[in-house]
Amino acid sequence: QNTSFRNLRTTYKTIIIAIEIISATWKIMFALRSNNATILKTLRAAQRHVHSSAPIQKSAEAATPLVTEEEKESSGLMSRFIVTAEVTVSKIFPAGFGWQSSSIIAENSFGYTPETMSFALTTGAGDGLGVLAGHTLYYGIKKAVVDSSIDMNKELQTGFFLGSAAFCSGTVWQPLVNTLQGANLSFNEVFFGTWCGCGLAFYAGLRVGRTILSGFMSHIEEPTYDNHKTDASLSVAIGSATAFFVGTDAAYLPSQNFLIDIVGIKDGTPDLMGCAIAGSSTSLGFVTAQTGLNLVYPAKKCWND
């Protein structure tokens, strides 16, 4: 039990350190970008107005909109990280927690084994319900405490939509991992295979959900080319969350599992502690991938813009 607490504490410390590193990196990148932009603007202004009778005034007028654009870019990037944090707390952690909880129920209460479809469906349901419950609870609290204008009917529909996609990826996870491990693949091969497979399952769930749910849920957008691209970028980050969840399996090739000391759930770990570690593993995977997407994707092109 002491070992489990140490593992959980290590997980939380790792997440905090990762967030601090990401924040510091973003600040440095933006500072360098701002400094370079300022230098270039000054040089270009000097070249354009070297023979002008009023260079200072024109230079200032030309610089004003450029500064505004930089401020908008900074605000947009910060907004991406805020949304990332909200999604992690409201959906990604509850998804991992729900999957692990339902796996315990499936085995101990229903007698399902991990090789059965009943087990896969039960864990998929737990994953989806975790997303639905976490999303609805988070925005219910936010509405009561921060923003009374939040439309809870919209959030309930959104939670159901995302939960249905999570059901797909959550159901696929165990059979997919069983297949990859059964092929005697390395840990990294299982890791990336799960990333791709569950990411595709989540994407398929989003597209099917839009097709079906948009017919009777007014806040769910029907499939379009634009939301195809945003659904794809979100699915990449979700795939990462499911891949990091592979690290909770401390029994498979432990010497290759680079996550075992962070999110490994070992024999004797209390059930509640295991559920918390599972949620931490999906959160760590999601934040890791989404940080890269936040920094690389052009403005207004990522799912969280």
Side-chain angles (χ1 to χ4, degrees):
Q1 185 172 359
N2 291 335
T3 302
S4 300
F5 278 107
R6 284 196 298 271
N7 288 341
L8 184 59
R9 185 166 58 250
T10 301
T11 300
Y12 290 145
K13 286 182 178 179
T14 301
I15 294 173
I16 291 171
I17 291 172
I19 292 173
E20 290 177 348
I21 292 173
I22 291 164
S23 176
T25 302
W26 174 80
K27 290 178 181 178
I28 293 171
M29 291 177 62
F30 180 70
L32 292 173
R33 185 185 302 176
S34 299
N35 290 337
N36 290 337
T38 301
I39 293 171
L40 288 173
K41 284 186 293 181
T42 302
L43 292 173
R44 288 169 182 169
Q47 291 173 350
R48 285 196 305 268
H49 306 297
V50 65
H51 298 298
S52 174
S53 59
I56 297 177
Q57 181 179 354
K58 291 184 178 181
S59 177
E61 290 174 353
T64 299
L66 292 175
V67 172
T68 301
E69 288 301 319
E70 288 174 5
E71 291 174 349
K72 288 181 179 180
E73 183 178 354
S74 172
S75 176
L77 188 57
M78 180 61 71
S79 175
R80 284 182 173 182
F81 280 104
I82 291 173
V83 173
T84 298
E86 286 191 327
V87 171
T88 302
V89 171
S90 65
K91 288 172 277 292
I92 306 303
F93 182 90
F97 192 99
W99 194 102
Q100 186 69 15
S101 299
S102 61
S103 73
I104 294 170
I105 294 173
E107 287 190 284
N108 296 344
S109 298
F110 300 146
Y112 301 149
T113 60
E115 296 78 23
T116 63
M117 182 55 64
S118 296
F119 181 92
L121 291 171
T122 303
T123 51
D127 199 324
L129 288 174
V131 171
L132 172 60
H135 180 87
T136 306
L137 179 62
Y138 178 85
Y139 281 96
I141 295 173
K142 187 175 181 179
K143 177 181 177 66
V145 177
V146 178
D147 185 2
S148 60
S149 66
I150 291 176
D151 184 349
M152 288 307 299
N153 182 47
K154 175 184 177 181
E155 299 307 334
L156 183 61
Q157 291 185 17
T158 301
F160 187 86
F161 167 59
L162 295 173
S164 64
F167 168 77
C168 296
S169 57
T171 299
V172 165
W173 191 90
Q174 189 66 63
L176 177 59
V177 170
N178 287 347
T179 301
L180 296 174
Q181 291 182 347
N184 295 319
L185 299 180
S186 68
F187 177 83
N188 286 340
E189 289 172 327
V190 176
F191 179 89
F192 287 109
T194 303
W195 187 328
C196 295
C198 288
L200 287 172
F202 186 84
Y203 174 77
L206 290 177
R207 304 312 288 174
V208 172
R210 289 190 184 281
T211 301
I212 298 174
L213 299 178
S214 61
F216 58 92
M217 288 187 175
S218 59
H219 296 290
I220 304 302
E221 186 180 24
E222 64 183 8
T224 65
Y225 177 70
D226 286 338
N227 62 38
H228 141 72
K229 292 186 290 185
T230 55
D231 287 352
S233 63
L234 174 58
S235 298
V236 170
I238 296 298
S240 177
T242 65
F244 273 66
F245 191 47
V246 175
T248 61
D249 185 357
Y252 186 75
L253 300 178
S255 62
Q256 298 182 16
N257 185 349
F258 59 91
L259 295 168
I260 193 170
D261 293 327
I262 303 174
V263 296
I265 301 177
K266 301 175 182 178
D267 291 340
T269 301
D271 289 345
L272 184 59
M273 183 68 66
C275 294
I277 294 173
S280 299
S281 71
T282 54
S283 298
L284 183 60
F286 178 79
V287 169
T288 299
Q290 190 57 49
T291 295
L293 295 177
N294 288 346
L295 295 173
V296 171
Y297 259 71
K300 299 181 181 180
K301 297 295 184 180
C302 199
W303 66 267
N304 54 351
D305 287 323

